[in-house]
Amino acid sequence: MGILHHQIVQDLQGPPKVNVVELFVSDRCPLKCRHCFHADVHSIEPSLSVEEWKFVIDQFLDLGVRHFHVAGREPFTEVATMSILTYLAEKKNIHDLKFGVISNGLNCRKYLRELRDLNLDYLEISLDGLEDTHNYLRGNRIHHHVIETLKEALLLLGNHRVSTATVLHRSNVSEIPEFICSLGELGIRRFFFQPIEPVGYALGLTKLLLDPVEYRRSIIQIRDLLASPSYQKRPASIVFYVPSEMVRVLCMGESWLEDELYRCLMGTLAITAQGPTRLLLDFEAVRAPYWNHVVITEDGYLIERCSSRSTQQYREQSIGNAVRTPIADLMKTARSMSADYLVKHLINLLPL
């Protein structure tokens, strides 16, 4: 632990490592999902204009950021979204950058040809399980429309640019193997999973929340699925996001998970490769103290994680407003907070 602590402190003394910037461009969505993290929050100030979004993007580019993730309650409810994506496409001609967008799978459908022409790196579609489960959370017949969007997106963008994002809970966690296999038949090769967090509307779904042991069981089940002979014929990349509060219990006593966490802390991606497939663990407890993934809200506030947007006080929990304060200064503030986070939280979270 002493060596590990020294390594982390040494890293924190270097320049900020901002790898991904999430542009949360919209606080509107046509759906009323039961588990929405953001449904009880609205903008504090007017949304940024396209020119202000460009100003934000340019500042991050100057800091060396080369990955932009466009999100929101539903980004394609905003007219500005396509302009923002177009600007990122223009910058991609200059910089070696990566950009993509996440959608509910409904509003993006009419833009698929434009998205193809923009040469974005990925389109991530939210799909929360098999038909009955998805419809329970998001609305009747929504699943059918999302599947049709996925099929069209695969034809236009290719399976290297289309992926799914799934929120896990006790109603759908047992469906994951079938879910992966059925979408694999469609051509999906990249999957992202995260557990429901008790924020927003999800506060009313406490009986569905996974505990760390249940989540660990699901991760190990998928690792074994990927290693099975029946799945080896189909390449896949699967990411599990592990919230900070789950890390200690989820990893403790499981040597494989402890090893992956240690590798991640030492600066190596936590990837378990199984032939043509790979499983990646995204430990929030690791990325939070480094601020290597930051979020800019639709009204310009810099926050450390998207779920921080799900409190009515997110302005008070933010580092500041990216339009009024230079982002370089905001990141210096975030960096100084990292040391405090390390001392107060990170070590206590680790099972090592």
Side-chain angles (χ1 to χ4, degrees):
M1 178 61 78
I3 296 174
L4 181 59
H5 185 281
H6 175 75
Q7 176 70 35
I8 297 171
V9 171
Q10 187 177 48
D11 287 344
L12 285 172
Q13 292 173 345
K17 298 178 180 179
V18 186
N19 296 326
V20 183
V21 172
E22 184 169 333
L23 309 178
F24 195 94
V25 299
S26 171
D27 73 342
R28 296 189 298 134
C29 180
L31 301 181
K32 295 183 179 180
C33 302
R34 295 172 185 262
H35 61 326
C36 182
F37 296 170
H38 313 290
D40 59 346
V41 181
H42 298 284
S43 301
I44 296 171
E45 300 180 20
S47 297
L48 302 187
S49 67
V50 172
E51 291 306 311
E52 287 172 323
W53 278 118
K54 290 180 180 179
F55 175 64
V56 167
I57 291 168
D58 286 344
Q59 288 187 75
F60 276 114
L61 286 171
D62 289 342
L63 289 177
V65 174
R66 295 296 183 265
H67 184 174
F68 293 88
H69 178 70
V70 178
R73 285 180 63 189
E74 171 48 47
F76 290 100
T77 58
E78 299 297 329
V79 175
T81 297
M82 288 306 298
S83 297
I84 293 167
L85 291 171
T86 299
Y87 189 69
L88 288 170
E90 293 171 359
K91 291 298 179 180
K92 188 174 182 178
N93 292 327
I94 303 171
H95 304 282
D96 182 23
L97 67 83
K98 176 180 181 180
F99 74 100
V101 59
I102 184 170
S103 171
N104 61 25
L106 303 180
N107 293 72
C108 68
R109 191 171 181 181
K110 62 183 178 182
Y111 297 108
L112 289 177
R113 293 185 183 277
E114 292 179 65
L115 294 175
R116 177 196 60 190
D117 296 340
L118 288 178
N119 193 32
L120 85 169
D121 292 277
Y122 60 89
L123 170 64
E124 193 171 37
I125 302 294
S126 297
L127 190 61
D128 291 325
L130 302 177
E131 184 172 6
D132 289 344
T133 305
H134 185 81
N135 288 342
Y136 166 74
L137 289 171
R138 293 182 177 258
N140 190 36
R141 290 188 58 78
I142 297 298
H143 182 271
H144 168 76
H145 294 293
V146 175
I147 292 296
E148 292 304 306
T149 298
L150 280 173
K151 290 177 180 177
E152 189 172 344
L154 286 165
L155 285 174
L156 290 171
L157 302 176
N159 60 19
H160 63 292
R161 289 198 286 173
V162 180
S163 61
T164 58
T166 304
V167 177
L168 294 180
H169 48 85
R170 286 176 176 160
S171 294
N172 69 355
V173 70
S174 62
E175 300 176 352
I176 302 272
E178 183 180 355
F179 176 82
I180 291 174
C181 291
S182 64
L183 290 184
E185 293 295 329
L186 289 181
I188 299 297
R189 299 289 180 263
R190 297 190 298 146
F191 304 83
F192 175 85
F193 296 103
Q194 73 175 91
I196 280 184
E197 296 189 54
V199 293
Y201 284 173
L203 283 170
L205 299 175
T206 53
K207 292 182 180 179
L208 294 182
L209 299 180
L210 291 173
D211 63 41
V213 174
E214 292 170 316
Y215 196 35
R216 176 176 64 193
R217 190 180 303 125
S218 176
I219 292 172
I220 292 174
Q221 180 185 39
I222 298 309
R223 179 199 62 178
D224 294 342
L225 170 69
L226 297 181
S228 66
S230 62
Y231 205 86
Q232 286 298 294
K233 62 182 180 181
R234 184 185 300 132
S237 178
I238 298 176
V239 178
F240 281 96
Y241 174 75
V242 183
S244 294
E245 61 272 15
M246 282 193 174
V247 171
R248 176 180 284 272
V249 176
L250 185 141
C251 294
M252 188 175 293
E254 178 64 43
S255 59
W256 166 64
L257 288 170
E258 288 187 359
D259 289 345
E260 294 301 286
L261 174 60
Y262 184 82
R263 287 174 57 206
C264 198
L265 284 164
M266 296 302 289
T268 304
L269 288 176
I271 297 177
T272 299
Q274 301 281 2
T277 69
R278 65 178 196 163
L279 187 151
L280 188 146
L281 301 175
D282 182 358
F283 293 103
E284 181 191 60
V286 176
R287 77 181 186 184
Y290 295 102
W291 282 80
N292 64 5
H293 181 128
V294 299
V295 180
I296 301 292
T297 65
E298 73 286 347
D299 44 1
Y301 288 94
L302 187 148
I303 55 180
E304 66 172 317
R305 53 186 293 195
C306 197
S307 59
S308 298
R309 170 67 175 70
S310 304
T311 170
Q312 296 291 353
Q313 290 76 41
Y314 76 88
R315 174 169 53 187
E316 285 71 24
Q317 295 188 10
S318 74
I319 301 302
N321 193 286
V323 174
R324 293 194 289 269
T325 304
I327 289 175
D329 292 343
L330 295 180
M331 292 311 303
K332 288 179 182 177
T333 300
R335 195 64 168 173
S336 66
M337 292 173 59
S338 296
D340 293 335
Y341 182 98
L342 174 67
V343 172
K344 295 178 182 178
H345 301 289
L346 183 59
I347 299 302
N348 292 329
L349 290 168
L350 302 182
L352 305 177

